[in-house]
Amino acid sequence: MILSIESSCDDSSIAVTKIATKELVFHKKISQDLEHSVYGGVVPELAARLHALALPKILEETKDYFGELKAVAVTNEPGLSVTLVEGISMAKALSISLNIPIIAINHLKGHIYSLFIEKQECFPMDILLVSGGHTQLLHVESFDKISLLANTMDDSFGESFDKVGKMLGLPYPAGSIIEQYAKKGDEKRFEFTIPLQRSKTLAFSYSGLKNQVRLCIAEQENLDEQTICDICASFQRVAVAHLIRQIKKAYKDISVKDFGVVGGASANLYLRSQLEEFCTSKKATLHVAKMEFCSDNAAMIGRCALEAYGRGQFSSIEEIQPRGSSKIVLSKNYNLLF
Ligand code: KG4
Ligand code: ZN
């Protein structure tokens, strides 16, 4: 079995996965939403201290598996350095005390493998990664060959929901709350413009849309419940329309067979329905993760680690350090990620 640890942001999570069958035998996550909510976003130092309390508590519950562990996997990038180091320290301690190798996992690659928990991987696949930190369009050829087709120029998709939520006085993280408000709203009441409409650039941008919403809120004399719902619906419609437009642009003359959507914001059902329409138009299959595996979790890190384990991709204890951002290697044909 492999024990995996995730602490890249504000979720402390540990999983245990069987190597032979890919079965997830243990999975627990303690989220810190409530603690950060009062600040309207994640406070790194506070997150680190909460990981230091939560991770040992969860680990205690996995003791019965210790004898069967063949490796320990941990997220080492990208994320908040002070929180990554909490998981990394625990992984190093387990590696030394149980005498098992350590596997460093890229968090974004982990999100990709959320599609294959307890399943066989299916590549090549084109993937939209929408989380609090990233908005990327990826072409995944295989475990080791992932290319970046489009990236955000500023804010990420999930982050824009959080920031709009903050402006509306909603708690952090606001993504799913905005989705719920949007269900009761009129998506046509506020005419926000779709970002990068006239640009030929294949990229995403959310800071302009966020600013449009800010100005709209400032203009409201009465920010009543219905107005909040209408702003949420109008914002969500345009935020998703921007993703779909850029995706259509990317695949205008290219066929797509398998398209996946991953990351915390992939739980958004409106986004899923729009992607479903795109996939139908392309005769492609849309792949989504189970709701519980969309946001940060150690099960996806463990699933990704199974592939690394099979390839003998271990790291030395000295080598593993937290890295705030992922490296992107520019090669001749691709912008290779990881
Ligand atoms: O993947 P994740 O758990 O953490 C990062 O790696 O960043 O993603 C969290 C992000 C937050 O910004 C949250 O507001 C957003 O995902 N999110 C959503 C929804 N559920 C979570 N955004 C839009 N609609 C949702 N239903
Ligand atoms: Zn994430």
Side-chain angles (χ1 to χ4, degrees):
M1 295 180 188
I2 294 180
L3 183 140
S4 51
I5 308 168
E6 158 64 35
S7 69
S8 65
C9 190
D10 58 346
D11 294 295
S12 318
S13 181
I14 296 182
V16 179
T17 312
K18 270 192 185 169
I19 295 168
T21 59
K22 302 183 171 44
E23 186 194 345
L24 181 65
V25 294
F26 175 90
H27 181 225
K28 189 157 181 181
K29 161 165 144 169
I30 298 179
S31 294
Q32 310 171 355
D33 293 348
L34 221 57
E35 288 86 347
H36 295 290
S37 192
V38 283
Y39 303 104
V42 177
V43 181
E45 289 297 335
L46 173 61
R49 267 185 278 137
L50 293 169
H51 282 306
L53 292 174
L55 286 174
K57 256 194 224 160
I58 308 177
L59 189 70
E60 188 73 32
E61 294 181 39
T62 66
K63 273 192 169 160
D64 289 349
Y65 301 111
F66 278 15
E68 294 176 71
L69 296 183
K70 294 279 180 267
V72 55
V74 65
T75 307
N76 72 322
E77 64 169 328
L80 302 167
S81 297
V82 289
T83 64
L84 284 167
V85 84
E86 294 295 332
I88 291 173
S89 304
M90 175 173 272
K92 286 182 177 181
L94 285 169
S95 167
I96 294 168
S97 58
L98 301 174
N99 195 23
I100 50 175
I102 193 162
I103 301 171
I105 296 293
N106 181 297
H107 180 79
L108 307 181
K109 212 163 167 178
H111 272 303
I112 294 172
Y113 275 87
S114 66
L115 296 174
F116 311 120
I117 290 170
E118 299 196 320
K119 271 196 246 170
Q120 205 54 43
E121 61 179 16
C122 139
F123 293 136
M125 189 183 282
D126 288 273
I127 291 186
L128 173 70
L129 168 71
V130 272
S131 68
H134 295 82
T135 305
Q136 297 184 330
L137 193 58
L138 305 165
H139 177 73
V140 186
E141 194 57 38
S142 63
F143 176 76
D144 282 321
K145 198 168 180 193
I146 301 174
S147 48
L148 178 66
L149 304 182
N151 207 351
T152 182
M153 294 160 64
D154 39 61
D155 292 355
S156 77
F157 180 77
E159 184 183 7
S160 71
F161 276 69
D162 296 334
K163 288 185 174 164
V164 164
K166 193 172 176 182
M167 293 189 272
L168 288 170
L170 304 175
Y172 171 87
S176 64
I177 303 167
I178 289 194
E179 185 184 0
Q180 298 315 316
Y181 273 96
K183 281 185 189 152
K184 298 176 273 174
D186 171 6
E187 62 173 27
K188 294 280 171 57
R189 177 164 162 201
F190 300 102
E191 298 266 317
F192 302 127
T193 18
I194 299 176
L196 302 179
Q197 275 203 97
R198 289 190 194 86
S199 164
K200 289 209 164 68
T201 319
L202 192 56
F204 303 105
S205 168
Y206 281 96
S207 67
L209 175 59
K210 179 185 68 185
N211 208 32
Q212 289 184 61
V213 178
R214 186 181 65 78
L215 294 172
C216 166
I217 293 171
E219 276 170 13
Q220 302 307 309
E221 278 175 14
N222 181 14
L223 204 58
D224 56 25
E225 174 94 2
Q226 191 55 51
T227 305
I228 292 180
C229 291
D230 295 344
I231 291 175
C232 289
S234 305
F235 158 72
Q236 180 179 260
R237 181 179 70 82
V238 174
V240 171
H242 174 45
L243 286 180
I244 301 292
R245 248 172 195 261
Q246 298 306 91
I247 291 169
K248 281 186 177 163
K249 200 193 279 181
Y251 301 103
K252 190 167 162 276
D253 304 313
I254 308 173
S255 65
V256 197
K257 203 166 144 271
D258 290 288
F259 192 91
V261 61
V262 299
S266 71
N268 188 296
L269 294 182
Y270 178 73
L271 169 62
R272 286 185 177 199
S273 72
Q274 297 297 303
L275 285 172
E276 196 70 69
E277 265 183 36
F278 163 74
C279 285
T280 306
S281 75
K282 283 288 204 180
K283 296 191 174 56
T285 306
L286 178 68
H287 299 259
V288 294
K290 270 192 189 168
M291 282 293 175
E292 61 183 303
F293 300 129
C294 289
S295 59
D296 294 350
N297 65 84
M300 66 186 196
I301 302 302
R303 177 62 187 88
C304 186
L306 291 183
E307 301 298 326
Y309 182 87
R311 290 165 173 80
Q313 291 180 1
F314 303 112
S315 303
S316 73
I317 288 208
E318 300 76 40
E319 217 173 76
I320 297 196
Q321 298 297 337
R323 291 160 47 115
S325 55
S326 289
K327 62 174 184 292
I328 296 177
V329 185
L330 297 178
S331 79
K332 223 183 190 170
N333 304 318
Y334 297 98
N335 291 341
L336 280 180
L337 264 182
F338 321 133

